[in-house]
Every structure is written in structure tokens, then in C-alpha cells.
Amino acid sequence: MTNEGLFYNMLKNNAEKYADKEAIVYDTLTVTYKKLFEDVCNKAIHLSHFEGKRIAIYGPSSYRWIVNMFGIILAGKDVVLVDFFLPKETRGELLKKVEADYILSSTNQYILADSNAIIIPGAEKDETEGAVFDESTKEGNILMYTAVPQECDKAVVLSVSNIINTVNAINKVCICSSEDKVLAQGSLHHIFGFIYSLIWPLNNGACVCVGRGLRHIDADTHYYDPTILPGTPSMIEYLKKIKAFNESLKIIMIGGASCSFRLFEILKDRDLKVYNIYGMTEASGCIGVNSTMDGTYKLFDNSCVKIASDGEILVKGDCLMKGYDKDEKYTSSVVIDGYYHTGDYGRINERGNLILVKRNPDIILLPTGEKISRYVTVSEINKISDVAECFVTLFDDKLTVVIVPVDKDTSKDKFVRKIDRYNEKKGYRWEIQKVFISKSPLPRLENGEVDQEAVEEMLSN
């Protein structure tokens, strides 16, 4: 089997074409395309000596994270991308779900360990001198977690061809060349950061500048001086607020969550090309892109999107996931006749552009790019003592819970303390930032569901 079009060929071709050119810059470390290719192949050779088929990786974005990620895939194993900042218990649950054989973690210096983080004897010895990478190795898959209506962390299986096809589609609409420097400040374990901050620029011979973490987010734009800056709405808005856009910046890519018209309008005031990406993990982050003030999305591939009779957006094509891990039943319930049912609603205008009317009401999409199941979150908060009923929504860009107490005289401070304890267990992703107490029952529609619009109107007043 050949690796034509896959990660091996991408890295090999760039190592030949851009041998001494900067591929990765991380703080004071600079790595050429030739060195990146050699390091990835050596890591793949090392990992191929171990029988397990799935390796989870977690740690802050870094050159070593990138090498290990590519090495796992080239070794023919599935890589499971896990959020480094998850609470230990939550992370353990995710690893158990996908049945990860091994982990590579920054806390273990990326030495291969079992699923309990116990280093495997001899794994620290990764001498590969004289060994040759087997180019016929079938590359592994990429597993990323996303939220679905009834589950907050469901593993999506993407093939390398999904990713490469996505990059090819992006290249038809957005330009990234070998002269560009792309700042990777966002999370690489999420589809938007993975594609737009890492794979897309590497595929085009650009230089990827790896952000140095939250402590340096204010300075990284000026430190690295990128030409392309991908980021979530909350990140871009913050950088705009503190005047962190560097002089060489030409393109801003916004994704992972919906970009408000206000932010888009402010950014367009500058001499910048602004792209707002519409996509999701199941479609490899690649459905449409907006670069105009009308808010419509140009489809990456018109033939891959259609609108159902009820207005739901349906997606098919080469970028569509292989499926949800170990859940053929659920996969078949949302991928019907080759089309993925997104749960989002919209229409196609006379120019063939997508107008997004409503996002999936069962999923809360935060400005940080995090996705949360409303059902799961509401169910868990309803179990907290003294809560009669509740509703969770995004209000004023803050994850907000409306609580109806059992005892109407219970103070708000008491529930704030309860939610603080809830936040401690769930980690930053699920952090409820605002608590609202309602003495009246939640407003409901005729079908018994909570009237979200009425709740948000109540919050506004």
C-alpha cells in the first residue's frame, strides 16, 4: 500500500522541497521541515515496536506533542487527542471509552505508558539508528471528542484522508503559502485548531509558530509576528481588545464557535482578511466560510451540502467522519443515506451560499470553541439538592444556569456555592459563570419543552 496523499507523503515532500526552511517554531526552538520529517519517522519506528493499536496523547501544545501525534499515526496506530486540562477522573473516563492501550503525556515526558500512566519498561529507550521506516504502513486514524445531544464527550473517528481532503478544500478558498507564518494559539486537540493552526499550514509549507501558553497569549503575536492567526471568537476578541494584532498580520481565521456580527464588523475595519469558518468535528471542520459582511457562508463544496424539508443542514463527502467510535447504532441514526444530519438549520440563497438560521438547540456552543450537551448539563444540575428545575443557556457570552429552587426563600448565595462545587468537579470547560434564581416555574412550550426564547428574555429583563 502507498501513502499517496497522506501524512507521510505530506511530510516527506515538504522535507525535500523545503528542507532547511522553518517548519515549527516553539519559543526559542526552531525546527526545519527536514528535521520534522526525521523526528516523526523515528518516533513512528519506535512506536511500531509496541503491539497496542490506540495511543492517547495529552499535554500543552509543543513541538514534542506534534512529533508524537504524527508518529502515532505513521506507526499505523490510532491517536486519541485528549484535553490536557481535563480533571483526572474525566480524562480517565474518556480513555476507558475508547479503550486506549497506551498514553503519551507531557507529565511522563512523553514516554509510552499504559492507560493508568504507568511507564512501560524499556519504553524510554527509543534508539532507532539504522532503522528504516516502512513506507507501506497503513496510517492510523484520529479520534477527537465532541458533544452530541445526549453525551458531552463522544469520540469521532476521522481518517487521514478526511483531513487531507479538508485541507485541499480549504486551499480552494483560503490562501496559505510557504511564505506565511501561522500562530497556533488554540487547542490542537480540537478540530479547528488541529486543521487550521497545524495541518493546513504544514501542508502548504508555511511556518507554524506554537503558542507558549496562556501566560504569553498577550505577547505571542508580537513575539512570533505571524501573517495568519486562527482563533476562537473569545480569543480573537480578547486579542483585539488588548491591541495585540501585530503589523505583519494579514489573515484572521475565526472558528470553533459562531462569530458575532459585531466582532466581524470590528475586524473588517482594519486592512485584514477575515474568514469565519462554519464546520464541526464530524465534517472535519469544513462546511463553509464567510468573508463578507452579509454573514452568508460560501460552501467548500456545493455538492456536499443540502437542506432537508424541515430546514436541517445535511452534509456528505470526503470530509465526513468514518463514524462515532464503537457506536454504529448512533452513527447510523445521524448519517442517513450518506448524509450527516447536523442538527443545525439554514437555507441556500440565490448565490448558492448557506444562510445559517439556527444552531443545534441541544448543543451549547461556547465562544471558547467548547461544545456542551444541554441535556447532560441540565440533568446533572437538577440532581443538586434544593434544585426543583433548571435550564442552562449561553447568555451574554457566559454559560448561565437558571435555577428554580424547591424552597423559594433559599438565598442565591447558597446556589452560587453549590455551582462552584459543581464547577470544581467538571473543570474549566463546563464552568457555569452566571447563576440566576427564578421564583417562578420555567416557561414551557406546548410540547412541554423549556421555552428558550422566553428564558433569555427573562434574563434580559
Side-chain angles (χ1 to χ4, degrees), residues 23 38 55 68 78 91 132 153 159 231 272 296 375 457-458:
E38 291 173 352
I55 304 178
N68 279 286
D78 294 344
R91 187 168 60 232
V132 178
D153 291 298
S159 68
L272 290 168
T296 65
Y375 169 80
E457 183 178 345
M458 179 174 64

Side-chain angles (χ1 to χ4, degrees), residues 165 169 172 278 283 286-288 299-307 312-320 337-342 348 352 354:
N165 283 317
K172 294 176 183 177
Y278 169 58
C286 177
I287 297 177
L299 298 173
F300 286 110
D301 188 339
N302 290 352
S303 66
C304 288
V305 177
K306 73 175 183 179
I307 307 299
E312 186 177 11
I313 300 169
L314 311 182
V315 181
K316 69 172 183 178
D318 295 332
C319 299
L320 192 63
D337 296 329
Y339 279 93
Y340 167 61
H341 289 237
T342 65
I348 306 293
L354 175 66

Side-chain angles (χ1 to χ4, degrees), residues 97 144-156 280-282 321 323-325 327 330-331 333-334 340-343 360-364 370-377 429-430:
K97 278 184 185 179
M144 296 183 182
Y145 293 94
T146 191
V148 295
Q150 303 293 319
E151 194 174 335
C152 274
D153 291 298
K154 197 162 191 66
V156 173
M280 51 200 63
T281 308
E282 290 88 344
M321 64 177 177
Y324 295 105
D325 186 52
D327 200 340
Y330 186 73
T331 300
S333 73
V334 295
Y340 167 61
H341 289 237
T342 65
N360 190 334
D362 297 322
I363 303 295
I364 303 173
E370 294 291 343
K371 294 174 70 175
I372 294 176
S373 162
R374 192 189 307 275
Y375 169 80
V376 172
T377 310
R429 297 185 311 154
W430 287 25

Side-chain angles (χ1 to χ4, degrees), residues 341-382:
H341 289 237
T342 65
D344 294 345
Y345 294 82
R347 59 186 177 86
I348 306 293
N349 68 10
E350 65 282 356
R351 289 180 291 130
N353 289 353
L354 175 66
I355 297 174
L356 191 57
V357 175
K358 183 176 73 171
R359 299 304 295 256
N360 190 334
D362 297 322
I363 303 295
I364 303 173
L365 189 56
L366 302 180
T368 58
E370 294 291 343
K371 294 174 70 175
I372 294 176
S373 162
R374 192 189 307 275
Y375 169 80
V376 172
T377 310
V378 166
S379 297
E380 294 196 341
I381 295 177
N382 273 335

Side-chain angles (χ1 to χ4, degrees), residues 65-86:
W65 187 98
I66 293 169
V67 168
N68 279 286
M69 181 275 296
F70 278 125
I72 294 168
I73 295 171
L74 264 63
K77 304 179 188 302
D78 294 344
V79 64
V80 184
L81 305 184
V82 182
D83 185 349
F84 177 62
F85 296 102
L86 286 179

Side-chain angles (χ1 to χ4, degrees), residues 119-131:
I119 292 176
I120 295 171
E124 73 280 1
K125 300 175 183 178
D126 57 356
E127 292 296 327
T128 57
E129 187 175 350

